[in-house]
mmCIF file of all heavy atoms in Angstrom:
data_model
loop_
_atom_site.group_PDB
_atom_site.id
_atom_site.type_symbol
_atom_site.label_atom_id
_atom_site.label_comp_id
_atom_site.label_asym_id
_atom_site.label_seq_id
_atom_site.Cartn_x
_atom_site.Cartn_y
_atom_site.Cartn_z
ATOM 1 N N ALA A 20 -20.037 -0.668 1.520
ATOM 2 C CA ALA A 20 -21.385 -1.147 1.267
ATOM 3 C C ALA A 20 -22.423 -0.379 2.091
ATOM 4 O O ALA A 20 -23.604 -0.409 1.781
ATOM 5 C CB ALA A 20 -21.484 -2.634 1.575
ATOM 6 N N GLY A 21 -21.960 0.280 3.148
ATOM 7 C CA GLY A 21 -22.894 1.057 4.004
ATOM 8 C C GLY A 21 -23.667 0.189 4.977
ATOM 9 O O GLY A 21 -24.671 0.617 5.545
ATOM 10 N N GLY A 22 -23.169 -1.039 5.217
ATOM 11 C CA GLY A 22 -23.848 -1.892 6.164
ATOM 12 C C GLY A 22 -23.310 -3.298 6.113
ATOM 13 O O GLY A 22 -22.279 -3.518 5.502
ATOM 14 N N PRO A 23 -24.037 -4.251 6.698
ATOM 15 C CA PRO A 23 -23.542 -5.601 6.811
ATOM 16 C C PRO A 23 -23.465 -6.292 5.419
ATOM 17 O O PRO A 23 -24.279 -5.969 4.488
ATOM 18 C CB PRO A 23 -24.575 -6.338 7.698
ATOM 19 C CG PRO A 23 -25.737 -5.437 7.761
ATOM 20 C CD PRO A 23 -25.304 -4.061 7.395
ATOM 21 N N VAL A 24 -22.531 -7.153 5.300
ATOM 22 C CA VAL A 24 -22.321 -7.979 4.121
ATOM 23 C C VAL A 24 -22.325 -9.421 4.629
ATOM 24 O O VAL A 24 -21.771 -9.693 5.710
ATOM 25 C CB VAL A 24 -20.975 -7.678 3.429
ATOM 26 C CG1 VAL A 24 -20.664 -8.637 2.310
ATOM 27 C CG2 VAL A 24 -20.971 -6.228 2.923
ATOM 28 N N PRO A 25 -22.988 -10.360 3.939
ATOM 29 C CA PRO A 25 -23.009 -11.754 4.437
ATOM 30 C C PRO A 25 -21.626 -12.293 4.773
ATOM 31 O O PRO A 25 -20.672 -12.057 4.010
ATOM 32 C CB PRO A 25 -23.652 -12.521 3.306
ATOM 33 C CG PRO A 25 -24.498 -11.498 2.575
ATOM 34 C CD PRO A 25 -23.715 -10.201 2.672
ATOM 35 N N LEU A 26 -21.517 -13.002 5.873
ATOM 36 C CA LEU A 26 -20.235 -13.530 6.322
ATOM 37 C C LEU A 26 -19.565 -14.387 5.249
ATOM 38 O O LEU A 26 -18.364 -14.320 5.099
ATOM 39 C CB LEU A 26 -20.435 -14.293 7.615
ATOM 40 C CG LEU A 26 -19.166 -14.740 8.337
ATOM 41 C CD1 LEU A 26 -18.329 -13.515 8.752
ATOM 42 C CD2 LEU A 26 -19.494 -15.567 9.562
ATOM 43 N N ARG A 27 -20.325 -15.171 4.565
ATOM 44 C CA ARG A 27 -19.729 -16.052 3.550
ATOM 45 C C ARG A 27 -19.075 -15.257 2.446
ATOM 46 O O ARG A 27 -18.013 -15.620 1.941
ATOM 47 C CB ARG A 27 -20.729 -17.064 3.052
ATOM 48 C CG ARG A 27 -21.547 -16.637 1.855
ATOM 49 C CD ARG A 27 -22.516 -17.729 1.392
ATOM 50 N NE ARG A 27 -23.627 -17.234 0.682
ATOM 51 C CZ ARG A 27 -24.486 -16.317 1.071
ATOM 52 N NH1 ARG A 27 -24.370 -15.773 2.250
ATOM 53 N NH2 ARG A 27 -25.483 -15.919 0.299
ATOM 54 N N GLU A 28 -19.653 -14.128 2.066
ATOM 55 C CA GLU A 28 -19.043 -13.250 1.033
ATOM 56 C C GLU A 28 -17.737 -12.628 1.575
ATOM 57 O O GLU A 28 -16.769 -12.597 0.857
ATOM 58 C CB GLU A 28 -20.014 -12.154 0.635
ATOM 59 C CG GLU A 28 -21.161 -12.627 -0.191
ATOM 60 C CD GLU A 28 -22.087 -11.499 -0.587
ATOM 61 O OE1 GLU A 28 -21.618 -10.340 -0.761
ATOM 62 O OE2 GLU A 28 -23.269 -11.767 -0.792
ATOM 63 N N LEU A 29 -17.789 -12.194 2.803
ATOM 64 C CA LEU A 29 -16.587 -11.629 3.407
ATOM 65 C C LEU A 29 -15.457 -12.665 3.490
ATOM 66 O O LEU A 29 -14.318 -12.392 3.171
ATOM 67 C CB LEU A 29 -16.883 -11.039 4.791
ATOM 68 C CG LEU A 29 -17.824 -9.862 4.838
ATOM 69 C CD1 LEU A 29 -18.214 -9.538 6.259
ATOM 70 C CD2 LEU A 29 -17.229 -8.635 4.146
ATOM 71 N N ALA A 30 -15.835 -13.864 3.964
ATOM 72 C CA ALA A 30 -14.841 -14.936 4.110
ATOM 73 C C ALA A 30 -14.221 -15.302 2.768
ATOM 74 O O ALA A 30 -13.037 -15.565 2.666
ATOM 75 C CB ALA A 30 -15.464 -16.182 4.766
ATOM 76 N N ASP A 31 -15.034 -15.323 1.720
ATOM 77 C CA ASP A 31 -14.522 -15.613 0.373
ATOM 78 C C ASP A 31 -13.518 -14.545 -0.070
ATOM 79 O O ASP A 31 -12.510 -14.864 -0.668
ATOM 80 C CB ASP A 31 -15.648 -15.708 -0.631
ATOM 81 C CG ASP A 31 -16.472 -16.971 -0.523
ATOM 82 O OD1 ASP A 31 -16.041 -17.915 0.176
ATOM 83 O OD2 ASP A 31 -17.577 -17.013 -1.102
ATOM 84 N N GLN A 32 -13.804 -13.308 0.245
ATOM 85 C CA GLN A 32 -12.933 -12.209 -0.161
ATOM 86 C C GLN A 32 -11.578 -12.265 0.551
ATOM 87 O O GLN A 32 -10.564 -11.822 -0.010
ATOM 88 C CB GLN A 32 -13.594 -10.869 0.092
ATOM 89 C CG GLN A 32 -14.719 -10.603 -0.896
ATOM 90 C CD GLN A 32 -15.311 -9.250 -0.768
ATOM 91 O OE1 GLN A 32 -14.670 -8.332 -0.255
ATOM 92 N NE2 GLN A 32 -16.518 -9.065 -1.232
ATOM 93 N N VAL A 33 -11.580 -12.699 1.789
ATOM 94 C CA VAL A 33 -10.301 -12.759 2.526
ATOM 95 C C VAL A 33 -9.693 -14.155 2.566
ATOM 96 O O VAL A 33 -8.713 -14.390 3.328
ATOM 97 C CB VAL A 33 -10.426 -12.126 3.962
ATOM 98 C CG1 VAL A 33 -10.807 -10.671 3.848
ATOM 99 C CG2 VAL A 33 -11.452 -12.885 4.789
ATOM 100 N N HIS A 34 -10.287 -15.097 1.860
ATOM 101 C CA HIS A 34 -9.767 -16.459 1.712
ATOM 102 C C HIS A 34 -9.587 -17.189 3.019
ATOM 103 O O HIS A 34 -8.496 -17.706 3.339
ATOM 104 C CB HIS A 34 -8.424 -16.431 0.957
ATOM 105 C CG HIS A 34 -8.520 -15.615 -0.319
ATOM 106 N ND1 HIS A 34 -9.221 -16.037 -1.412
ATOM 107 C CD2 HIS A 34 -7.988 -14.413 -0.658
ATOM 108 C CE1 HIS A 34 -9.129 -15.136 -2.369
ATOM 109 N NE2 HIS A 34 -8.379 -14.131 -1.924
ATOM 110 N N CYS A 35 -10.653 -17.214 3.811
ATOM 111 C CA CYS A 35 -10.657 -18.034 4.989
ATOM 112 C C CYS A 35 -12.084 -18.563 5.256
ATOM 113 O O CYS A 35 -13.004 -18.229 4.514
ATOM 114 C CB CYS A 35 -10.188 -17.251 6.228
ATOM 115 S SG CYS A 35 -11.329 -16.000 6.833
ATOM 116 N N SER A 36 -12.233 -19.389 6.236
ATOM 117 C CA SER A 36 -13.555 -19.947 6.550
ATOM 118 C C SER A 36 -14.387 -18.918 7.278
ATOM 119 O O SER A 36 -13.855 -17.966 7.888
ATOM 120 C CB SER A 36 -13.402 -21.213 7.421
ATOM 121 O OG SER A 36 -12.998 -20.863 8.709
ATOM 122 N N GLN A 37 -15.709 -19.134 7.224
ATOM 123 C CA GLN A 37 -16.594 -18.234 7.981
ATOM 124 C C GLN A 37 -16.331 -18.286 9.469
ATOM 125 O O GLN A 37 -16.359 -17.279 10.154
ATOM 126 C CB GLN A 37 -18.043 -18.600 7.696
ATOM 127 C CG GLN A 37 -18.472 -18.354 6.273
ATOM 128 C CD GLN A 37 -19.864 -18.809 5.985
ATOM 129 O OE1 GLN A 37 -20.789 -18.519 6.797
ATOM 130 N NE2 GLN A 37 -20.066 -19.492 4.892
ATOM 131 N N ARG A 38 -16.071 -19.504 9.946
ATOM 132 C CA ARG A 38 -15.805 -19.678 11.372
ATOM 133 C C ARG A 38 -14.527 -18.915 11.790
ATOM 134 O O ARG A 38 -14.516 -18.238 12.833
ATOM 135 C CB ARG A 38 -15.680 -21.159 11.652
ATOM 136 C CG ARG A 38 -15.480 -21.442 13.099
ATOM 137 C CD ARG A 38 -15.455 -22.904 13.374
ATOM 138 N NE ARG A 38 -15.220 -23.110 14.785
ATOM 139 C CZ ARG A 38 -15.574 -24.158 15.435
ATOM 140 N NH1 ARG A 38 -16.181 -25.139 14.810
ATOM 141 N NH2 ARG A 38 -15.334 -24.302 16.698
#
Side-chain angles (χ1 to χ4, degrees):
V24 173
L26 188 62
R27 88 179 157 305
E28 289 181 29
L29 294 171
D31 286 346
Q32 289 186 22
V33 296
H34 310 290
C35 72
S36 70
Q37 293 177 46
R38 184 176 178 155

